[in-house]
Amino acid sequence: MRQLTPIFWVVQACLIWLTLVSASPVISDLSDPNVSALQARDTKPFPLRILPLGASITMGYKSKDGNGYRKWLRQQLRYAGWEVDMIGTLKNGTMHDNDHDGHIGWRIDQIAAHAKTIISQQPNLILLNAGTNDALQDYKVDTAGKRMDSLLTYLFDNIPNTTIILSTLTFNGKNPELGTDISTQYLELAAERRAQNDRLVIADMSTFIQWDQLVDKIHPTAAGYKEMASVWWAAIQEAEKEGFLEAPKSTTTYNGTISKTREKQLDDSTGDPSLPAYTAPPQPTITVSNDSTRSGQWHLWTVGVQMIMVCIALFYV
Ligand SMILES: *[C@@H]1O[C@H](CO)[C@@H](O)[C@H](O)[C@H]1NC(C)=O
Ligand SMILES: *[C@@H]1O[C@H](CO)[C@@H](O)[C@H](O)[C@H]1NC(C)=O
Ligand SMILES: *[C@@H]1O[C@H](CO)[C@@H](O)[C@H](O)[C@H]1NC(C)=O
Ligand SMILES: *[C@@H]1O[C@H](CO)[C@@H](O)[C@H](O)[C@H]1NC(C)=O
Ligand SMILES: *[C@@H]1O[C@H](CO)[C@@H](O)[C@H](O)[C@H]1NC(C)=O
């Protein structure tokens, strides 16, 4: 019987340590409560050129002032120090900066067909709420996630470095189970997209806005729209924390800055809109069994080497 050398045990101990380290969960360093602390206006490094994209809920249909969530969210962003220019091919609502691309009754495929007319504006942030009409019309609900996936690919390919906030659907009282089905597909899609490092964050509208906050079983009440602003705001903060947000590109109509004069024209208020308190659920992730991250590979690798070492050791015993 042959004595095992001390080197064997040192190597083995190192491998066990590596295994434990690589298998332990990655600890987030984003827990600083002061990250989202209040700051003076115009303190962020670049403006947000925001495209609100979707259907009637994006437009703010059935809201008294026609602004829906958009005015609340814009005010919150200004209050937090972001310069903001909302863009889109439509203008609705009493707010000054009232551009958007929310088309009444449109499904995902119709929004996708329209997308090519938007890309020249190169938004660095897209707020995407689409699919409610697919649910209401019972239109190929099984493949709604696939259609959304194609739209995301088109937007990411044609608007480099843009960040997309993908909204799950608010309740609808007509085909609620189809809405839930689509939201579930979006969560899976988001998990896959995030796993491949796409600049995408989920805004989970499906739980905060309740049934009694709808005026016609589809469109939110004033309180519901304000809660939507809270959910978007939480998602935008998440995108900022994750380092997704990038300065907007210069285009033929924008040079990437907003002059003070222009800003004054666009602003309604930069005061605290006092959005309803909201804590977002964690972003969706794919299951560990499909884990192909570096730590997952390390883990497998070290386990494999240890098994070989044990075999060698047994051979010598
Ligand atoms: C947050 O900011 C306040 C005021 O600037 C400071 O007193 C406090 O220590 C900070 N907290 C952390 C966790 O950094
Ligand atoms: C929204 O604005 C468009 C023009 O951008 C106008 O044609 C349409 O009537 C408006 N819709 C509502 C519901 O205000
Ligand atoms: C996208 O962002 C990265 C990192 O900030 C940068 O290096 C790259 O040039 C950007 N790409 C485009 C097309 O702007
Ligand atoms: C962008 O255009 C504005 C006028 O529209 C001008 O005041 C500003 O200096 C320009 N900024 C850059 C970086 O070219
Ligand atoms: C995990 O992988 C299996 C088989 O490769 C696949 O069927 C499943 O959809 C994957 N799950 C997720 C969440 O990606």
Side-chain angles (χ1 to χ4, degrees):
M1 183 162 140
R2 191 192 147 124
Q3 194 70 33
L4 292 174
T5 66
I7 288 174
F8 172 88
W9 293 112
V10 169
V11 170
Q12 188 69 0
C14 285
L15 283 167
I16 289 169
W17 178 79
L18 262 177
T19 304
L20 291 174
V21 165
S22 64
S24 66
V26 178
I27 291 159
S28 168
D29 59 357
L30 303 173
S31 52
D32 182 354
N34 282 0
V35 164
S36 58
L38 300 182
Q39 295 166 25
R41 309 303 87 87
D42 299 347
T43 53
K44 300 293 186 179
F46 47 78
L48 295 177
R49 191 184 296 154
I50 303 177
L51 174 68
L53 178 61
S56 55
I57 292 174
T58 296
M59 169 187 274
Y61 190 61
K62 298 270 181 180
S63 62
K64 274 209 176 70
D65 57 9
N67 300 316
Y69 71 73
R70 293 177 287 123
K71 187 178 176 195
W72 293 121
L73 177 61
R74 189 185 191 285
Q75 189 176 333
Q76 176 62 56
L77 289 165
R78 294 289 296 120
Y79 180 62
W82 288 103
E83 292 179 273
V84 176
D85 186 6
M86 295 211 165
I87 58 166
T89 59
L90 299 176
K91 283 176 178 290
N92 293 95
T94 59
M95 63 193 287
H96 288 122
D97 191 7
N98 67 353
D99 309 274
H100 69 97
D101 250 305
H103 302 259
I104 293 180
W106 280 17
R107 299 178 309 257
I108 301 161
D109 60 325
Q110 294 167 304
I111 293 164
H114 176 74
K116 61 180 177 301
T117 65
I118 305 166
I119 56 170
S120 66
Q121 300 195 55
Q122 295 287 300
N124 59 348
L125 182 61
I126 300 174
L127 309 177
L128 182 50
N129 175 282
T132 294
N133 290 307
D134 299 63
L136 294 175
Q137 298 170 27
D138 193 359
Y139 179 82
K140 303 183 186 174
V141 164
D142 289 357
T143 51
K146 285 213 170 73
R147 291 194 295 285
M148 179 55 78
D149 194 31
S150 311
L151 174 55
L152 293 176
T153 299
Y154 182 81
L155 294 171
F156 280 130
D157 284 355
N158 290 283
I159 312 176
N161 283 352
T162 195
T163 294
I164 300 180
I165 312 285
L166 175 62
S167 163
T168 55
L169 304 185
T170 48
F171 286 126
N172 80 78
K174 199 178 159 205
N175 283 331
E177 70 291 345
L178 298 186
T180 305
D181 184 342
I182 293 175
S183 289
T184 306
Q185 293 179 49
Y186 287 177
L187 290 174
E188 285 164 10
L189 173 58
E192 285 163 21
R193 288 279 178 174
R194 288 174 57 80
Q196 67 192 41
N197 295 323
D198 283 343
R199 295 172 196 246
L200 182 131
V201 173
I202 273 282
D204 192 3
M205 301 287 173
S206 65
T207 52
F208 194 38
I209 297 98
Q210 304 295 321
W211 289 95
D212 59 2
Q213 291 171 313
L214 304 178
V215 288
D216 55 358
K217 295 188 175 177
I218 299 168
H219 300 94
T221 58
Y225 273 127
K226 199 168 183 182
E227 289 194 355
M228 283 190 78
S230 295
V231 182
W232 288 120
W233 168 232
I236 293 168
Q237 287 176 288
E238 176 69 23
E240 183 186 14
K241 279 191 216 166
E242 294 191 46
F244 289 170
L245 302 175
E246 295 273 347
K249 305 275 176 309
S250 295
T251 68
T252 49
T253 38
Y254 306 95
N255 70 2
T257 65
I258 304 174
S259 70
K260 290 288 165 231
T261 319
R262 179 82 184 123
E263 194 168 79
K264 280 216 177 68
Q265 293 166 351
L266 295 175
D267 282 342
D268 293 289
S269 168
T270 58
D272 184 356
S274 302
L275 296 184
Y278 170 72
T279 305
Q283 290 293 306
T285 51
I286 54 175
T287 50
V288 177
S289 58
N290 291 17
D291 188 5
S292 62
T293 61
R294 181 172 304 176
S295 87
Q297 283 165 357
W298 257 102
H299 181 55
L300 288 179
W301 188 83
T302 51
V303 167
V305 170
Q306 277 179 84
M307 285 171 70
I308 293 166
M309 298 280 289
V310 168
C311 289
I312 293 170
L314 286 174
F315 182 79
Y316 280 107
V317 168

